[in-house]
Amino acid sequence: MPRPRTFDEDRAIDAAMRVFWTAGYEATSTQDLCEATGLGRSSIYNTFSSKRDLFDRALRRYVDQFTAAQLEVIEDATVPIRERVRRILWTAVEPEPDDPTGCFVINTIVELGPKDAEILDLLDRDHETKLAALTDAIRTAQASGEVDPEQDATGLATYVFTVLGGLRVAARRGADRAGQQAVVEATLRSF
């Protein structure tokens, strides 16, 4: 008869998420996952079946958490669109103190996107959800006179997420706060 689990699976996924976020899929060893989660190899494989399964679950956790947070900002119609865009971009300038540098999604796209259609599909669908929400918010802001109605709403939304990705990549290479802030201010001039 199997022994009952004596660990919190969600905490293990969160710990693994941070390891994969920092090192990537290929560079993360099973030993790294054991050290981060506090679990033995058998517990990891009995619970998650494989390193890839744990990676997929960690990536989905990241996507769910960060997309929910971004959508909350995007859909808050009580806040001017320019401020909502600033808040989205500012997460790259001033991330949560305990978060690894950069973006788990961007790191994964660079590492696995060219060779893993399943991962790319998940991340594309996630991006499209956020892009559609920001495009709608910009169109609403255009209708209310906040944003020039001649601007392409989809183009502006794409621009915001492209800048956000660039800020996160720059953070990973050690960009300074002043330079990151200047990029945010330049982007906001479009709104």
Side-chain angles (χ1 to χ4, degrees), residues 31-98:
Q31 184 58 39
D32 294 332
L33 295 169
C34 290
E35 290 171 10
T37 62
L39 301 174
R41 286 177 188 267
S42 62
S43 292
I44 287 178
Y45 286 109
N46 288 336
T47 304
F48 303 107
S49 76
S50 68
K51 173 182 161 183
R52 176 54 189 257
D53 178 48
L54 180 53
F55 177 82
D56 288 348
R57 290 175 69 178
L59 182 61
R60 287 179 200 286
R61 169 78 46 89
Y62 178 93
V63 165
D64 290 347
Q65 289 175 352
F66 282 80
T67 296
Q70 284 183 337
L71 290 176
E72 186 176 323
V73 171
I74 291 168
E75 294 169 351
D76 185 356
T78 65
V79 176
I81 191 68
R82 189 174 195 276
E83 176 59 17
R84 286 183 266 170
V85 169
R86 189 198 67 76
R87 288 178 186 176
I88 290 167
L89 296 176
W90 204 252
T91 62
V93 178
E94 210 169 80
E96 293 296 321
D98 294 334

Side-chain angles (χ1 to χ4, degrees), residues 96-190:
E96 293 296 321
D98 294 334
D99 284 351
T101 305
C103 176
F104 188 15
V105 166
I106 291 171
N107 299 347
T108 300
I109 289 170
V110 170
E111 180 183 11
L112 300 177
K115 58 188 173 190
D116 193 319
E118 184 180 334
I119 293 279
L120 199 55
D121 182 57
L122 167 72
L123 300 179
D124 282 348
R125 282 184 283 120
D126 175 63
H127 176 70
E128 289 303 319
T129 298
K130 294 183 288 192
L131 184 64
L134 186 54
T135 299
D136 288 346
I138 291 169
R139 285 187 180 129
T140 300
Q142 287 174 317
S144 71
E146 276 186 84
V147 175
D148 178 359
E150 297 298 313
Q151 295 241 42
D152 174 17
T154 302
L156 271 177
T158 300
Y159 175 52
V160 169
F161 284 114
T162 301
V163 170
L164 178 61
L167 288 168
R168 288 183 172 158
V169 169
R172 189 146 172 122
R173 71 159 175 72
D176 68 338
R177 181 185 170 100
Q180 297 281 74
Q181 187 170 352
V183 170
V184 171
E185 294 304 321
T187 304
L188 292 177
R189 287 194 278 278
S190 298

